[in-house]
Amino acid sequence: MLTIGKLGEAAGVKVPTIRYYEQIGLLPEAERSSGNQRLYGRKAMKRLAFIRHARDLGFTLEAIRDLLSLSDNPDQSCAAADAIARSQLVEVESRLARLTALKAELERMVVQCAGGKIADCRVIEVLGDHSLCATDHRHPETEATQ
Amino acid sequence: MLTIGKLGEAAGVKVPTIRYYEQIGLLPEAERSSGNQRLYGRKAMKRLAFIRHARDLGFTLEAIRDLLSLSDNPDQSCAAADAIARSQLVEVESRLARLTALKAELERMVVQCAGGKIADCRVIEVLGDHSLCATDHRHPETEATQ
DNA sequence: CTTGAAGCTATAGTTGCTAGAGACATTAGG
DNA sequence: CCTAATGTCTCTAGCAACTATAGCTTCAAG
Ligand SMILES: [Zn+2]
Ligand SMILES: [Zn+2]
Ligand SMILES: [Zn+2]
Ligand SMILES: [Zn+2]
């Protein structure tokens, strides 16, 4: 049985984050010691590692909630889980496309600036006028955190 | 003189967002009509377009605040503005690198899954165990919104 | 002149945490 | 056994950058 600090260390998750996951119901309420401190076993450890890894792969907590509840009944078809992963892939691809365009525009800006006064600064000029951009980089669809 | 709705439409910014920008001091307090409604002229329009475009390029509101105050005195050197843009470029590059790794892992996951039961689902399996990943995609540095 | 859209303020909610305050628990050293 | 340091507890508030709601007033069209 691990204390919350040890668990956090083992899983690479900060202590308040673990409590937060419990609070929003991603982790079950932990057992408590005689002195009311949380205690975790192997199962909680695996669940937290799953959450952490899925977060690292950019899944939202809502998606992770679904994935966890799917993984809790192993006899079902994995179609729903695969769909979540595929939609996360689509999301990542679209962010990638957008960031690639952003990078190109930012590079253009900084390269084109001759480094004089603000009045002649290409960075400031381009920021004020999207028609100076080479690509249409604008905020296409819904954007998520990260 | 435009009302807030017309301004928002023209600049592609939602009305509450404009009020929010005013509230946090990114936009100056607008003139008001006799009936206390906000009115905007050409200058506010340009300023809002600048903000919107910079947001589209991923700059934070803090960075935009600095860029705006730089652009307000055109005789200064543009070094500071260029530095902000370059650091935004670095930020975008690092997010791009991370997303590229994520995409690779997500693709591996969905491709490797044969589509049976959850118990045999490669997606669920990989999510539970980072050592099954081909790359080290983990949360490298500070991460920003978007 | 009436009605519906658009505007106003103020407050609270979103996501995924993170930081603080103040009180209790545990552990290591002397 | 006592003490000091560290860890944990709950609760609340804060971060970015908005978005939504409620309950009002004002405006523009018919
Ligand atoms: Zn410049
Ligand atoms: Zn542009
Ligand atoms: Zn599967
Ligand atoms: Zn991994």
Side-chain angles (χ1 to χ4, degrees):
Chain A
M1 287 299 198
L2 302 171
T3 63
I4 196 169
K6 298 296 175 192
L7 177 69
E9 212 171 316
V13 178
K14 286 175 192 155
V15 167
T17 303
I18 299 174
R19 289 196 277 247
Y20 171 70
Y21 288 161
E22 177 181 315
Q23 190 196 314
I24 64 170
L26 262 195
L27 288 174
E29 296 206 358
E31 285 180 62
R32 298 297 181 114
S33 73
S34 59
N36 197 38
Q37 302 197 345
R38 290 173 179 83
L39 291 177
Y40 298 93
R42 197 128 274 297
K43 235 178 80 183
M45 169 81 206
K46 292 200 91 170
R47 200 170 172 94
L48 182 56
F50 185 102
I51 296 170
R52 172 72 214 266
H53 195 211
R55 283 299 292 137
D56 283 344
L57 287 164
F59 289 88
T60 65
L61 293 181
E62 259 320 287
I64 293 171
R65 193 188 294 277
D66 293 345
L67 288 166
L68 280 169
S69 87
L70 286 167
S71 87
D72 281 344
N73 29 357
D75 287 336
Q76 276 191 295
S77 148
C78 77
D82 295 8
I84 293 173
R86 265 192 299 273
S87 106
Q88 172 64 11
L89 175 56
V90 167
E91 170 73 26
V92 165
E93 278 166 345
S94 99
R95 279 196 253 155
L96 213 39
R98 170 123 189 277
L99 278 183
T100 302
L102 292 202
K103 174 170 180 274
E105 291 307 337
L106 289 166
E107 274 171 348
R108 261 170 55 93
M109 279 170 46
V110 305
V111 162
Q112 286 180 9
C113 182
K117 290 179 184 172
I118 288 281
D120 311 315
C121 179
R122 185 65 172 179
V123 169
I124 298 290
E125 190 182 2
V126 173
L127 286 176
D129 185 0
H130 171 60
S131 74
L132 297 173
C133 284
T135 62
D136 200 357
H137 54 79
R138 276 167 305 177
H139 215 61
E141 65 246 35
T142 46
E143 198 123 349
T145 305
Q146 181 191 156
Chain B
M1 286 298 198
L2 301 171
T3 63
I4 196 169
K6 298 296 175 191
L7 178 69
E9 211 171 315
V13 178
K14 287 176 191 154
V15 166
T17 304
I18 299 174
R19 289 196 277 248
Y20 170 70
Y21 288 160
E22 176 182 315
Q23 191 194 314
I24 64 169
L26 261 195
L27 289 174
E29 295 205 359
E31 283 179 65
R32 298 297 181 114
S33 73
S34 58
N36 197 37
Q37 303 198 345
R38 290 174 180 82
L39 291 177
Y40 299 93
R42 198 129 274 296
K43 236 178 80 182
M45 170 80 207
K46 294 201 88 172
R47 200 172 172 93
L48 181 57
F50 186 103
I51 296 171
R52 172 72 215 265
H53 195 211
R55 284 297 295 135
D56 282 343
L57 287 164
F59 290 87
T60 65
L61 292 183
E62 259 320 288
I64 294 170
R65 194 186 293 277
D66 293 345
L67 287 166
L68 280 169
S69 84
L70 285 166
S71 87
D72 281 343
N73 29 357
D75 287 337
Q76 277 191 295
S77 149
C78 76
D82 295 8
I84 292 172
R86 266 192 299 273
S87 107
Q88 172 64 10
L89 176 56
V90 167
E91 171 74 26
V92 165
E93 279 167 344
S94 100
R95 279 196 254 156
L96 212 40
R98 170 124 189 277
L99 278 183
T100 302
L102 292 202
K103 174 170 180 272
E105 291 306 337
L106 289 166
E107 274 171 347
R108 260 171 55 95
M109 279 170 46
V110 306
V111 162
Q112 287 180 7
C113 181
K117 291 180 185 172
I118 286 281
D120 310 314
C121 179
R122 185 66 173 178
V123 169
I124 298 291
E125 190 182 2
V126 172
L127 285 176
D129 185 0
H130 171 61
S131 73
L132 297 173
C133 284
T135 61
D136 200 357
H137 53 79
R138 277 168 304 176
H139 214 60
E141 64 248 37
T142 46
E143 199 124 348
T145 304
Q146 179 189 159

